[in-house]
Amino acid sequence: MDTKDVTINANDFEYSFSVGTKFGQLSASETLAETLRNRLGLTGSKEACNEGACGCCTVIINGNAVTSCMTLTVDCDEKNITTIEGLANPETGELDPLQQAFLDRYAFQCGYCTPGIIMASKALLDKNPTPTDTEIKEALSGNFCRCISQYHVIEAVSDIAKGVQK
């Protein structure tokens, strides 16, 4: 029987999994959201719709915002994954400026969708440090907030793009 190993780099830590059907092995059908939350304890990304429609589970894979509920872990072999837990400075614990901007501008209410929105925003700003409001709205079009904090989210991302500090 062939065995396959999958190695992912999540938040600068390397994890290897054996793929198979035996106890403890990674199922070929396991999503990245399940692996991050249930195996690695990285619960910042949320499982909500499990259809890729709400964006709560968004993580960054090799620089791109991706819904982890629609991504199989076996397809992430040798890829770099950043979750919300990986944004803060690992030595000082200081928040990423984008995380701080969300706090400063109250760009959240219940906070359930916030990690996914921050990760989608981070992927945008890493690729385009000075997006327009239209580009911000387009980048966040796959993220839904039922608490209607979108106006503050756009302000927070826009302020980071403009270099505004509160």
Side-chain angles (χ1 to χ4, degrees):
M1 177 173 173
D2 287 332
T3 60
K4 179 181 178 188
D5 291 328
V6 172
T7 300
I8 63 173
N9 183 321
N11 301 333
D12 295 326
F13 290 96
E14 186 174 289
Y15 301 93
S16 293
F17 304 99
S18 173
V19 179
T21 57
K22 293 181 180 174
F23 180 77
Q25 288 185 310
L26 182 85
S27 166
S29 63
E30 186 169 310
T31 67
L32 181 60
E34 293 169 328
T35 301
L36 292 172
R37 293 182 58 81
N38 302 331
R39 293 181 184 268
L40 304 182
L42 299 171
T43 58
S45 64
K46 306 299 184 215
E47 289 181 290
C49 71
N50 287 322
E51 297 176 349
C54 72
C56 290
C57 65
T58 302
V59 298
I60 298 174
I61 300 177
N62 288 353
N64 298 307
V66 174
T67 51
S68 61
C69 74
M70 298 300 294
T71 305
L72 296 176
T73 303
V74 294
D75 291 336
C76 297
D77 192 33
E78 302 295 329
K79 294 186 178 175
N80 293 313
I81 299 161
T82 305
T83 69
I84 191 76
E85 292 92 343
L87 291 187
N89 183 313
E91 293 177 15
T92 65
E94 182 178 348
L95 295 177
D96 182 273
L98 183 59
Q99 291 174 300
Q100 189 61 54
F102 271 63
L103 286 174
D104 292 344
R105 283 126 184 113
Y106 303 105
F108 56 91
Q109 287 188 20
C110 79
Y112 196 82
C113 64
T114 306
I117 293 173
I118 288 176
M119 297 313 290
S121 300
K122 179 72 174 165
L124 168 67
L125 291 169
D126 286 348
K127 288 183 178 179
N128 178 5
T130 57
T132 64
D133 284 353
T134 301
E135 291 169 325
I136 294 169
K137 291 175 186 174
E138 176 64 27
L140 299 179
S141 63
N143 295 81
F144 295 105
C145 173
R146 294 185 177 102
C147 304
I148 311 175
S149 64
Q150 290 93 336
Y151 300 111
H152 299 289
V153 166
I154 293 167
E155 288 173 9
V157 177
S158 183
D159 282 355
I160 289 293
K162 294 174 185 167
V164 175
Q165 294 185 354
K166 196 170 185 177

